[in-house]
Amino acid sequence: MHDRVAELTLIRREAEAGDAKATQAQHARGKLTARERIELLLDTGSFREVEQLRRHRATGFGLEAKKPYTDGVITGWGTVEGRTVFVYAHDFRIFGGALGEAHATKIHKIMDMAIAAGAPLVSLNDGAGARIQEGVSALAGYGGIFQRNTKASGVIPQISVMLGPCAGGAAYSPALTDFVFMVRETSQMFITGPDVVMAVTGEEITHNGLGGADVHAETSGVCHFAYDDEETCLAEVRYLLSMLPQNNRETPPRVPSADPADRRCEQLLDLVPPEGNRPYDMVRVVEEIADDGEYLEVHEHWARNVICALARMDGEVVGIVANQPQVLAGVLDIQASEKAARFVQMCDAFNIPLVTLVDVPGFLPGVGQEHGGIIRHGAKLLYAYCNATVPRIQVILRKAYGGAYIVMDSRSIGADVSLAWPANEIAVMGAEGAANVVFRRRIAEAEDPESVRAQLVKEYRAELMHPYYAAERGLVDDVIDPADTRSAVIDALAVLRAKHAAMPARKHGNPPA
């Protein structure tokens, strides 16, 4: 038995060390090895590997002579801050991380275990796509991964970390997960590479220009987080996991907070100008009301006219959706609607209460928006809010006009509590536009149209847009001192913590596409 154990030890060392030249080449590319990445992701010494000794059984094209242990993917589980996390990591040193039948079977198994155990799944992606030598068997392996991604959706958190190339059908697995992280310069995602694009369209472009981290973080919206190096990226994955529950049957972990729940936010009185056409940075509002000013913004560089962030309030995790007046005046457009809708759905799936900070002039007008489908895209956000059963708090900071007011979690679509600041203006449209429509003939017939217009705008605002109009009609629960926003929201969330909302029996909804 001692001899057998010694043999096992040697085999394990071989499997863990890998090829020295391949390791050197990986480091030369500015990338860590799969095992080094797992060590950074998980708590020290917590990783338990599964199927380390697995080898492929394919033949032909020289494969029978090369059967390395692990078959190019490391699978197992460990802990992040003491909580179980399942992980698989492509090992680019072996077959370039390409997926074959055995490789895929290992991933299928760890995904099934994550679903059964009710724990998050993190994939560390660095692979060259399907293993061409294994033909359709490799492609079928991707199908099994996609099926499990879909099965796990809304059941356990799924996080994809792009640390190298991800091309072709392989890119659809990250797209099916909840969050995508990328590292600048070393990771790329695309369906067809630069060579194919050049051959088909004649467009010449680099790998990073086509599918690099900044492209997907700022233009396509595929990537939620982009970082300059792997160490920072994996540290942020750990931080995100600390704010998510293990599965859809649990709530996110509460962290004791030294920031008083009743802390007054005096700076809010001067931070937000009462004039609706003056911009300000909504991020500073989020910082004021969040515990210790800390938050994690999702899709920070895409659709920047809306903010989506995870934060804690009195130690409890909340999802914050807020218009950003500094960008496009905070209007809702196609991209902002999609971004916020997906975030709301994620929060609802994982029992994260929603806090919506409203300062919206409406939906972005224009031919491009209408032809691009702003109706159906805006309906995605409306559907997400209407379908959400978690506690929902709306705070109207300033203006809230038209359909955009309704969509931003108004009382009429199910917000549990709606609060407003004394400078709020809730109306079909701004006073100037409303007066031009309602009093068009009167203004046109006046001897001094501008003077009459100004007077009618003033009258309209005083009659229908004063700060207490909505509160008088029960559409706002209370008008509050802005400095009390943090304490008012925390009080409301505490009351709603045990909220249970029954939904009609159905197989699933049919949300706008």
Side-chain angles (χ1 to χ4, degrees):
M1 185 60 71
H2 288 283
D3 292 340
R4 294 294 188 183
V5 170
E7 180 186 24
L8 173 61
T9 301
L10 289 174
I11 291 174
R12 289 204 185 282
R13 286 176 181 171
E14 177 187 345
E16 291 172 3
D19 182 82
K21 290 182 65 177
T23 300
Q24 186 178 6
Q26 180 78 346
H27 288 161
R29 298 185 189 98
K31 301 195 294 184
L32 300 174
T33 66
R35 294 187 185 278
E36 290 169 341
R37 291 163 175 165
I38 291 173
E39 288 176 6
L40 287 174
L41 173 67
L42 301 177
D43 296 338
T44 302
S46 69
F47 182 55
R48 177 73 176 181
E49 190 170 353
V50 177
E51 294 195 353
Q52 183 186 65
L53 306 183
R54 187 73 179 254
R55 288 171 154 175
H56 72 77
R57 53 189 178 184
T59 58
F61 306 100
L63 286 178
E64 62 276 5
K66 188 177 182 181
K67 293 188 175 184
Y69 293 115
T70 75
D71 198 44
V73 64
I74 300 167
T75 59
W77 68 85
T79 60
V80 172
E81 297 188 4
R83 298 193 303 154
T84 300
V85 172
F86 287 82
V87 61
Y88 69 86
H90 298 131
D91 191 342
F92 196 81
R93 301 174 303 169
I94 298 175
F95 299 125
L99 181 139
E101 182 184 20
H103 181 123
T105 303
K106 289 181 64 175
I107 295 176
H108 296 168
K109 179 174 181 176
I110 211 65
M111 294 180 79
D112 289 339
M113 290 183 70
I115 296 169
L121 174 71
V122 178
S123 62
L124 305 180
N125 297 270
D126 186 7
R131 197 174 299 171
I132 298 173
Q133 300 94 318
E134 294 194 30
V136 72
S137 297
L139 292 178
Y142 277 121
I145 293 173
F146 303 156
Q147 183 189 45
R148 287 165 174 82
N149 284 139
T150 305
K151 181 180 177 182
S153 181
V155 178
I156 58 172
Q158 299 180 84
I159 299 174
S160 298
V161 189
M162 316 312 297
L163 301 166
C166 183
Y172 285 116
S173 177
L176 289 169
T177 60
D178 300 300
F179 298 97
V180 176
F181 288 72
M182 293 187 74
V183 176
R184 294 183 177 94
E185 301 303 324
T186 58
S187 64
Q188 303 90 28
M189 295 174 65
F190 36 69
I191 298 299
T192 54
D195 293 341
V196 177
V197 170
M198 179 65 181
V200 175
T201 70
E203 298 172 286
E204 187 173 349
I205 193 166
T206 65
H207 285 80
N208 280 319
L210 181 62
D214 288 328
V215 168
H216 288 309
E218 299 173 13
T219 305
S220 73
V222 171
C223 167
H224 299 78
F225 306 95
Y227 298 99
D228 291 331
D229 57 80
E230 295 189 18
E231 291 83 357
T232 303
C233 180
L234 292 170
E236 290 299 295
V237 174
R238 287 177 58 90
Y239 181 47
L240 173 60
L241 285 167
S242 75
M243 304 188 81
L244 298 175
Q246 291 292 89
N247 53 63
N248 64 340
R249 300 183 302 277
E250 299 182 7
T251 55
R254 188 182 190 280
V255 175
S257 175
D259 194 348
D262 59 355
R263 168 173 58 80
R264 281 180 59 81
C265 306
E266 298 288 353
Q267 290 191 27
L268 293 181
L269 294 168
D270 300 314
L271 183 59
V272 180
E275 300 85 3
N277 59 353
R278 288 181 58 191
Y280 63 93
D281 190 357
M282 183 67 82
V283 167
R284 295 182 61 190
V285 177
V286 175
E287 291 173 344
E288 276 295 307
I289 66 174
D291 287 356
D292 303 310
E294 294 183 358
Y295 63 94
L296 178 63
E297 188 169 351
V298 179
H299 270 144
E300 179 180 1
H301 303 291
W302 181 63
R304 293 174 54 244
N305 42 319
V306 70
I307 295 169
C308 298
L310 293 171
R312 282 191 168 89
M313 298 186 72
D314 195 28
E316 302 281 357
V317 176
V318 298
I320 297 176
V321 180
N323 306 110
Q324 174 56 290
Q326 274 195 340
V327 181
L328 295 176
V331 298
L332 291 177
D333 61 2
I334 289 173
Q335 291 186 341
S337 298
E338 288 191 337
K339 170 181 171 178
R342 185 86 194 283
F343 183 76
V344 168
Q345 289 171 337
M346 184 280 299
C347 289
D348 186 52
F350 294 116
N351 307 310
I352 300 172
L354 288 161
V355 177
T356 305
L357 307 178
V358 183
D359 190 346
V360 61
F363 282 92
L364 181 64
V367 175
Q369 289 289 305
E370 296 294 345
H371 289 186
I374 185 61
I375 294 173
R376 61 185 174 86
H377 290 290
K380 292 178 183 179
L381 180 54
L382 181 62
Y383 186 99
Y385 269 125
C386 290
N387 202 47
T389 60
V390 293
R392 292 155 52 187
I393 314 297
Q394 181 197 47
V395 183
I396 302 169
L397 278 60
R398 207 167 53 171
K399 57 188 177 296
Y401 296 158
Y405 153 66
I406 299 295
V407 170
M408 289 295 290
D409 204 20
S410 63
R411 279 297 303 273
S412 60
I413 65 169
D416 297 293
V417 174
S418 178
L419 306 171
W421 288 7
N424 79 82
E425 290 185 352
I426 306 173
V428 176
M429 62 178 69
E432 290 78 6
N436 288 337
V437 173
V438 176
F439 306 113
R440 185 187 326 170
R441 180 175 297 177
R442 186 172 166 184
I443 293 171
E445 294 174 351
E447 293 183 5
D448 186 356
E450 290 304 319
S451 177
V452 171
R453 179 185 289 108
Q455 180 61 32
L456 293 174
V457 166
K458 184 177 180 180
E459 291 177 5
Y460 182 89
R461 180 175 280 114
E463 182 69 23
L464 296 176
M465 294 181 65
H466 62 80
Y468 309 103
Y469 185 86
E472 291 171 357
R473 286 152 182 78
L475 298 174
V476 167
D477 292 297
D478 198 9
V479 179
I480 62 171
D481 180 346
D484 292 330
T485 302
R486 172 177 163 83
S487 60
V489 170
I490 289 174
D491 286 346
L493 290 172
V495 168
L496 294 166
R497 192 165 294 145
K499 174 186 174 182
H500 174 74
M503 298 293 285
R506 61 182 178 185
K507 185 175 182 180
H508 58 73
N510 185 24

